[in-house]
Amino acid sequence: MKTILTDFYTLQAYEQIENGSFTAQILLNKDHDIFKGHFPGNPVTPGVCMMQIVKELTEEFTGKKLFLISASNVKFMAIINPYETPELKLQLDINEDEDYVKVKNTTSFGGTIALKMSVNYQKTSS
């Protein structure tokens, strides 16, 4: 799997639980350079990185290259500190048609929901 977030996270396991629904377990790399600047001494996983992880996982599960067209109901509900909670569970409910992919995501650690969002992607040819 090719990602722009090189070495930022590792996909540890995933499974398709229903038609179009997946769960994925990822492990954040607490030593990644992003955390040195966001924020020194108090690392926080940037929201844009979490959104990119959802896109990359969706591309992996659908086998399609995607372009983000819209995001709605984006709610960051808990701080993801890579030292305290590096293991994340992502629930992705993927609905696909000929040109578009819609995803509802919930990202959590332990029993805590960290992110909920709905995103729309357009399939690209590249």
Side-chain angles (χ1 to χ4, degrees):
M1 177 166 76
K2 185 175 185 231
T3 68
I4 23 186
L5 295 174
T6 306
D7 299 325
F8 186 73
Y9 69 97
T10 304
L11 176 59
Q12 294 185 300
Y14 71 89
E15 65 177 330
Q16 185 168 0
I17 52 174
E18 294 174 7
N19 190 17
S21 293
F22 293 83
T23 57
Q25 308 284 341
I26 66 166
L27 179 66
L28 297 175
N29 174 7
K30 65 181 175 36
D31 298 318
H32 196 277
D33 285 344
I34 286 174
F35 295 118
K36 292 176 184 166
H38 198 268
F39 297 95
N42 188 22
V44 173
T45 305
V48 69
C49 292
M50 290 307 306
M51 292 178 75
Q52 180 65 26
I53 290 169
V54 169
K55 177 181 178 274
E56 291 177 2
L57 291 175
T58 302
E59 288 178 329
E60 175 77 8
F61 300 154
T62 63
K64 306 284 192 279
K65 291 296 292 172
L66 303 171
F67 180 81
L68 177 67
I69 5 180
S70 67
S72 60
N73 301 315
V74 180
K75 296 179 180 149
F76 296 100
M77 303 167 78
I79 290 173
I80 302 171
N81 179 318
Y83 284 87
E84 295 172 4
T85 54
E87 294 182 12
L88 303 176
K89 178 182 178 182
L90 289 87
Q91 170 76 37
L92 298 135
D93 297 324
I94 301 170
N95 290 303
E96 192 174 352
D97 67 23
E98 190 174 321
D99 298 317
Y100 300 96
V101 176
K102 295 180 181 186
V103 180
K104 287 187 179 178
N105 165 252
T106 302
T107 300
S108 59
F109 54 85
T112 302
I113 295 174
L115 168 64
K116 290 179 97 172
M117 69 175 180
S118 297
V119 286
N120 293 306
Y121 302 106
Q122 184 170 11
K123 296 177 185 177
T124 66
S125 56
S126 57

